[in-house]
Amino acid sequence: MGAALRKLDKTLVLVGLMGCGKSSVGKRLAARLGVGFVDTDDEIVQAAGMPIPEIFQRLGEPAFRDGEAKVISRLLEGAPGVMATGGGAFMAPMVRAEIERVGISVWLRADLDTLWERVRGKSGRPLLETENPKNVLAELMAARYPQYAAADIVIDSHMDNSHETVVDDIMRALAGFNAVKDTEKDTDK
Ligand code: S3P
């Protein structure tokens, strides 16, 4: 028997609200699958040469969304891997359509307390720089969850579950998509 090698044939795109665990889970999922990981927020920051709050402040949110769409489009052309997107990315119909066309979207669905627990006291998220950030999160849940629900795979992410548990859940769900194929090493046959 040859050693089983896993081959991913579509990029897995993690979507969901700030704090749902896209980056932490994404890194672990990529390691499990032996593929590359990319965080679109990091790519935007690199391309713009400034952090996200500064992009929002100096260039405005529309410019950020524009850059986000371009970065995602470029990254989707690359080799299949795992991609964590910013919470607003899946809201843009064109971005959503492109992800649907070439990738497999995975929504990490989380309740308000889980999201709040993970984002509270952390800086770098301009949409939460308000008097009542927990309220903003609740409003974003109401506005965005109907769109996130269009994702190919929906996985619950709860603060009591470890990121590895969430990765296990995604791996199980992926089996139904036939996106990960076990192949045999030629030399071992
Ligand atoms: C945003 C989420 C952030 C980042 C930006 C806007 C949003 O990413 O893209 O601050 O609109 O929800 P994370 O979801 O990774 O925090």
Side-chain angles (χ1 to χ4, degrees), residues 17-36:
L17 212 49
M18 296 173 270
C20 69
K22 291 164 292 188
S23 303
S24 311
V25 167
K27 277 179 205 154
R28 289 167 174 81
L29 179 62
R32 189 85 72 91
L33 289 164
V35 297

Side-chain angles (χ1 to χ4, degrees), residues 18 22 41 52 56 64-65 68 86-88 125-127 144:
M18 296 173 270
K22 291 164 292 188
D41 279 344
I52 290 176
F56 270 66
F64 173 81
R65 298 297 171 201
E68 183 172 53
R125 291 185 167 110
L127 297 183
R144 293 179 174 179

Side-chain angles (χ1 to χ4, degrees), residues 1 3 15 19 31 36 39-40 44 49 51 59 78 80 85 98 118 122 130-131 139 142 145 147 151 153 169 180 184:
M1 265 300 274
V15 305
D39 184 313
T40 62
I44 297 163
L59 310 175
T85 59
E98 203 162 2
R118 291 182 178 155
K122 292 195 183 139
T130 62
E131 250 173 45
E139 285 167 8
Y145 276 23
Q147 267 73 38
I153 293 172
D169 292 344
V180 186
E184 299 287 324

